[in-house]
Amino acid sequence: MGLFRSMQVFVTTVQEGSMSAASGKLGISPAMVGQHVAALEERLGTRLLNRTTRRQSLTDFGKSYLEQCRDILERVAIADQDAEASQTKPRGLLKVTAPTTFGAEVLMPALPRYRKIAPEVMLDITLTDRNVDIVDEGFDIAIRIGDLPDSRLIARRLAPYRMMICASPDYLARHGNPAHPSALSGHETIGFTPAVRSPWRLSKGKEEVEVVPRLPISVNSGQAVRMAARAGLGIVMQPAILLASDIRAGLLVQLFPDWHLRERPMSLVYHRDRRMTPRVRSIISFVISEFAAEPESPTNRPAE
């Protein structure tokens, strides 16, 4: 077995916590994972892992060897990146993560334009509302909504995430159309789980209203919130990009169109020390050109 490949398998086994988990990550059988680790142990003349039927743990030598393997694999990855950087055409695997709603409704429909620019780039896209650690989880870039506390990342501002309050015609026929935002506290509202504790803040000129909505239903999917609103279950506050088509179709009615809802910042983030390979440069340029609110200075600024 190749020594380099066995090192990769060993490191992945430790990271994933078991051989079966590593097999799923690597796309090989658990038996093959075991053979790679056993081959390393035979070559080194000592055990790397203490294994039982329920758990595994590193031996003292295994801990030291793990760090050396990680260093070797990192050096090889850097060499590969340097080789790619010497080329001018974007190619290779690009790992991207974005919020679920933005990714499904905005990013994915825009990708045919990126594919024309970089047809040899393979995209691995993860849509999640979890705030992933892109450094530890191996992503090249992330699109994030909200504040950016991680100073390890470079951030580029995109157009802010505009919110909208809506309800179905059926709900409004049964419960009445609230004439003022303060009346929302007496209505049924549907919450998006990551933000259920946040008050709804609206402003119009100098007038500001903060409403703590009554939430008999909350759900962890923007699409599910949208469908619940269409079904007449209550009033929702969701991204305009998610609700606009239903408003045009008459399935939902926008409430308080003259009031301003606090926008949420949206940013493109990537590694502070990331080597700018052609594929990484290509996706950064594309996302900024598609979604930036206004032209930015070419100097990247750290996430705050």
Side-chain angles (χ1 to χ4, degrees), residues 5-207:
R5 178 59 171 168
S6 293
M7 287 181 173
Q8 289 179 314
V9 172
F10 169 58
V11 171
T12 303
T13 299
V14 175
Q15 289 175 340
E16 296 300 312
S18 70
M19 291 186 179
S20 59
S23 71
K25 186 80 171 181
L26 296 166
I28 60 178
S29 68
M32 181 60 69
V33 172
Q35 290 176 31
H36 276 286
V37 175
L40 280 180
E41 291 177 332
E42 182 177 355
R43 186 177 190 276
L44 297 167
T46 187
R47 294 186 68 82
L48 297 172
L49 293 171
N50 294 314
R51 298 185 287 276
T52 68
T53 55
R54 293 189 176 184
R55 62 186 299 270
Q56 68 178 29
S57 61
L58 286 164
T59 64
D60 289 340
F61 180 80
K63 294 176 183 177
S64 172
Y65 191 69
L66 174 66
E67 294 309 311
Q68 295 178 63
C69 287
R70 283 175 169 163
D71 182 63
I72 291 169
L73 296 175
E74 176 64 20
R75 288 174 183 272
V76 171
I78 290 172
D80 287 344
Q81 291 171 357
D82 288 343
E84 184 182 0
S86 68
Q87 305 170 6
T88 59
K89 194 170 186 179
R91 57 168 55 91
L93 179 65
L94 191 64
K95 295 191 67 177
V96 178
T97 181
T100 305
T101 298
F102 177 85
E105 299 290 327
V106 180
L107 179 61
M108 298 306 293
L111 286 182
R113 293 188 287 278
Y114 176 71
R115 295 289 296 154
K116 290 181 180 179
I117 298 169
E120 295 186 34
V121 171
M122 297 178 292
L123 290 164
D124 181 353
I125 300 173
T126 298
L127 301 183
T128 177
D129 293 314
R130 179 175 61 88
N131 193 18
V132 303
D133 187 322
I134 70 169
V135 176
D136 290 346
E137 298 183 43
F139 287 98
D140 294 291
I141 69 163
I143 296 172
R144 286 187 174 168
I145 297 170
D147 296 327
L148 300 172
D150 194 341
S151 62
R152 294 180 299 170
L153 304 177
I154 297 295
R156 301 292 296 269
R157 282 293 187 200
L158 303 177
Y161 214 46
R162 190 166 62 89
M163 306 301 286
M164 183 180 290
I165 295 177
C166 291
S168 71
D170 174 67
Y171 175 87
L172 296 175
R174 288 183 287 113
H175 298 276
N177 193 330
H180 189 272
S182 59
L184 286 171
S185 59
H187 279 263
E188 301 288 298
T189 51
I190 305 163
F192 179 54
T193 300
V196 291
R197 298 184 184 278
S198 301
W200 294 6
R201 297 184 176 94
L202 300 90
S203 62
K204 184 179 180 181
K206 295 182 178 180
E207 184 179 4

Side-chain angles (χ1 to χ4, degrees), residues 206-267:
K206 295 182 178 180
E207 184 179 4
E208 295 185 359
V209 177
E210 181 174 296
V211 179
V212 178
R214 187 172 64 190
L215 297 168
I217 299 175
S218 60
V219 63
N220 67 343
S221 163
Q223 288 286 0
V225 171
R226 171 194 177 195
M227 297 308 294
R230 285 174 50 170
L233 288 174
I235 296 174
V236 302
M237 181 174 69
Q238 281 287 281
I241 58 171
L242 184 63
L243 304 177
S245 61
D246 286 339
I247 292 172
R248 289 192 296 269
L251 299 172
L252 292 175
V253 176
Q254 182 181 3
L255 304 180
F256 318 116
D258 296 332
W259 288 75
H260 175 75
L261 288 162
R262 188 175 66 177
E263 297 172 336
R264 301 180 65 194
M266 184 164 66
S267 306

